Amino acid sequence: MKKAVFLDRDGVLNEVMSGRVRHVNKPSDLHLLPGVPEAVKGLKEAGFLLCIVTNQGGIGLGFMTEKTLAAIHRRLKKLLAAEDAVIDDIAYCPHRPAAGCRCRKPKPGMLLDLARKHGIDLARSYTIGDSESDIGAGRAAGTRTIRIGAESAGAPASSPDKADFAASSLLEAAVIIVRQEVETAGGKTSAAARRA
């Protein structure tokens, strides 16, 4: 089975609530954060599928249409492709925040659907986000979690928003994941050597 990194979009891949843009409601609102193309390339080179999982309640609330969201995602892919970086799939929840659907994070519906679609081993995968709902969805799906800009290090261990790791950016999160992969591979090699 494949391993994947599930990425929240706003605040992880692109600017939001910044001096330049408040919310991404049209393609021209989308601006990549520093280091994002490098992080995406590094994770792909480490053998991960990259899937965006994003709550887009603005559709249900009437701030944008699904057609506009598709145009936003085309711009995102184009900006990444210009740096030789590729996203494998995008899932979004279009429902209002209080709709009670199974797909809106912190529920894990989008991650579980992508896992079935792509044959993803969730236990070998990661979820990266900047909010409690991202971390909650990742934990509910059975992935390891990284919170961007996290103050979550002080959260109780039983808290649903307690991430496994904290990072200041997607690039730092990618470094953490690659380091974990190297350590895991090293541990397997050592165990195999001990059995030999």
Side-chain angles (χ1 to χ4, degrees):
M1 293 185 83
K2 300 168 186 172
K3 57 187 180 180
V5 177
F6 298 99
L7 301 163
D8 179 47
R9 194 192 76 187
D10 298 333
V12 174
L13 296 173
N14 58 272
E15 291 180 27
V16 66
M17 305 301 282
S18 69
R20 184 161 40 176
V21 60
R22 184 167 171 79
H23 299 291
V24 179
N25 288 327
K26 58 185 185 294
S28 61
D29 291 335
L30 192 130
H31 305 279
L32 293 179
L33 288 164
V36 164
E38 294 84 356
V40 169
K41 286 191 288 188
L43 290 168
K44 288 293 287 183
E45 288 170 7
F48 287 92
L49 281 177
L50 295 179
C51 300
I52 295 172
V53 286
T54 178
N55 289 342
Q56 292 297 319
I59 294 171
L61 294 169
F63 295 124
M64 76 172 116
T65 64
E66 292 193 66
K67 184 177 179 181
T68 301
L69 181 63
I72 290 168
H73 287 157
R74 280 195 300 274
R75 174 172 165 79
L76 173 61
K77 289 178 177 180
K78 183 177 179 180
L79 291 173
L80 288 170
E83 303 288 336
D84 297 319
V86 177
I87 295 291
D88 294 294
D89 207 343
I90 300 175
Y92 63 91
C93 170
H95 305 110
R96 291 170 177 259
C101 61
R102 66 176 286 280
C103 52
R104 186 174 177 83
K105 296 178 289 183
K107 292 183 180 175
M110 288 187 284
L111 287 77
L112 298 176
D113 289 346
L114 286 165
R116 280 190 291 273
K117 179 179 178 181
H118 294 288
I120 294 168
D121 181 349
L122 291 165
R124 295 175 60 216
S125 299
Y126 291 82
T127 299
I128 302 175
D130 64 341
S131 71
E132 293 178 13
S133 65
D134 300 321
I135 302 310
R139 286 175 59 110
T143 72
R144 287 167 281 183
T145 56
I146 303 177
R147 189 160 178 187
I148 302 291
E151 296 293 334
S152 62
S158 61
S159 173
D161 66 322
K162 171 67 174 175
D164 296 300
F165 304 96
S168 62
S169 67
L170 181 58
L171 190 56
E172 184 180 345
V175 170
I176 290 169
I177 290 172
V178 171
R179 187 180 304 134
Q180 290 295 309
E181 291 293 295
V182 168
E183 289 175 5
T184 300
K188 287 178 182 173
T189 301
S190 298
R194 284 194 298 273
R195 285 195 299 272

